[in-house]
Amino acid sequence: MLKKSRLKDLMLVIFMVALVAGIAHFVVTNPLGPSRLLYYVQAPIIQWNTRCTAGAPEWMAQIQRYATRNMAAPASQLAYVSPEGELHHCETGWKDGIFGDKPLTADTRFRYASTTKTVTAAAVIDLINQGKLALGDAIIDVLELEGELSDPRIADITIEHLLSHRGGWDRERTQDVMFLINRKPWCPDYPQKLLDSSLMYDPGEAEHYSNLGYCLLGLAIEKVSGQSYREFMASHYDFGESTLEFIDGPFRADEVEYDFRFENFYTDNYYDKFDFPALSSAAGLSGSARDLAVFVSSSLDAEPLTVLDGDMESGCDPKENQACYGYGVYRYQPNKEEMPLFIHSGKLPGNPSAIVVDPEGGVLVWLGAGGPRPGSDADQDFYDYLRGVLASHYGR
């Protein structure tokens, strides 16, 4: 009996040593691991800290509960403008971090990241509808650039190409000139350098997401309006009556606290590495989900063009996430029998966002302060979930 007792004690000691060693190894090799695991303990509590406007559809709270866990967002806003123009919104979590003292409100500021592009696209389309720009205008003519071209195809890039990410660049094969770490991009301050650029494809040949293209669209707005991009947007769309404002880099006092635990590289000082004024027309706006949803919904009343126009079918696969771009959104449709969504997503460190327009004209905007691990399928899974919820809402 004594030997058996000693053997059990020895086995227990070995188990405890192995457990401690395993935990120590996990923490040393994966310092964010414990914090990431903790989130899945916190998420069920956060999920139920959701507040929606009176009369909001139940499915909005369901989306918030899904997003809290699966998009790893401890704080988020959701806004929906129905086809009839009825506005509802929900807020989940706290402005000042998990279990903080300040519940998130409808006015709390989030960065819009690349969903800014849909706002820029709407402004360009407004100018086209007014006859001040045309889809077929060459960007070098709009900007009045003169000089020898490094690549003759630069002369063929049109406003339409830039709106639909078909300018001829490919950031997967070369660097994204707008997001070079600790380096100032040449656009928008030195547009003449466009003449020195080289393209990977003929303009219009292939779709490849481009921040540079939307920076150039911002310059087109400046040239036509005679104002800076920021001044034109703020005055023309009356930003003073909403939460919409441009970000210069540092976090603002009315801004949500972002959670960076699922980021592999960036932390809360990431903004020091990029030029936010230069990113104004591509990723520089901020505000609430409510005000962004109202803006996008209002833009759908434009005539004859809106952000829902453009070729979102040929030469691309609508089953893919972030493909089939038109003028400011892309078409997402897993198969022909299912309801399509028209989406523009955004992503800054700890800060995912999405604009979703349904075929009935409803507009949904979601903004998160967190975000799943880079490289995961969480974004596409989220859009599949949204498509299912909205399809049920419309009885499709």
Side-chain angles (χ1 to χ4, degrees), residues 308 312-313 318 330-343 356-362 383 386-388 390-391 394 396:
L308 296 182
M312 290 187 269
E313 294 186 9
Y330 68 86
R331 181 186 185 93
Y332 178 61
Q333 189 172 19
N335 62 63
K336 292 182 179 180
E337 291 73 36
E338 295 180 339
M339 185 180 78
L341 296 179
F342 302 95
I343 302 172
V356 178
V357 183
D358 63 52
E360 303 294 331
Y383 302 142
L386 293 179
R387 188 194 52 75
L390 291 170
Y394 290 115
R396 294 193 175 198

Side-chain angles (χ1 to χ4, degrees), residues 73-127:
S76 63
Q77 294 175 334
L78 177 69
Y80 173 68
V81 181
S82 73
E84 297 75 33
E86 187 176 3
L87 170 66
H88 286 290
H89 52 85
C90 299
E91 293 76 44
T92 297
W94 300 263
K95 175 184 177 293
D96 53 342
I98 295 177
F99 311 134
D101 297 322
K102 302 176 182 178
L104 200 72
T105 72
D107 292 319
T108 302
R109 182 172 308 282
F110 284 71
R111 297 177 181 218
Y112 290 164
S114 286
T115 55
T116 299
K117 293 182 177 68
T118 303
V119 178
T120 297
V124 171
I125 289 169
D126 274 349
L127 294 172

Side-chain angles (χ1 to χ4, degrees), residues 32 35-36 72 74 111 251 255-271 347-351 369-374:
L32 289 174
S35 177
R36 290 174 174 179
R111 297 177 181 218
F251 302 118
E255 194 168 351
V256 71
E257 181 177 315
Y258 301 100
D259 191 313
F260 297 92
R261 76 181 81 189
F262 286 98
E263 292 292 333
N264 292 332
F265 177 71
Y266 294 108
T267 59
D268 59 1
N269 66 348
Y270 80 89
Y271 59 80
K347 180 72 172 73
L348 286 171
N351 180 200
R373 177 180 53 82

Side-chain angles (χ1 to χ4, degrees), residues 79-88 118-119 122 126 237 244 289-303 305-308 329 342 355-358 360-365 394:
Y80 173 68
V81 181
S82 73
E84 297 75 33
E86 187 176 3
L87 170 66
H88 286 290
T118 303
V119 178
D126 274 349
Y237 295 106
L244 271 67
R290 175 199 60 205
D291 290 343
L292 182 55
V294 169
F295 178 96
V296 174
S297 180
S298 297
S299 78
L300 301 182
D301 294 330
E303 292 181 347
L305 294 178
T306 74
V307 295
L308 296 182
V329 292
F342 302 95
I355 296 169
V356 178
V357 183
D358 63 52
E360 303 294 331
V363 175
L364 184 150
V365 170
Y394 290 115

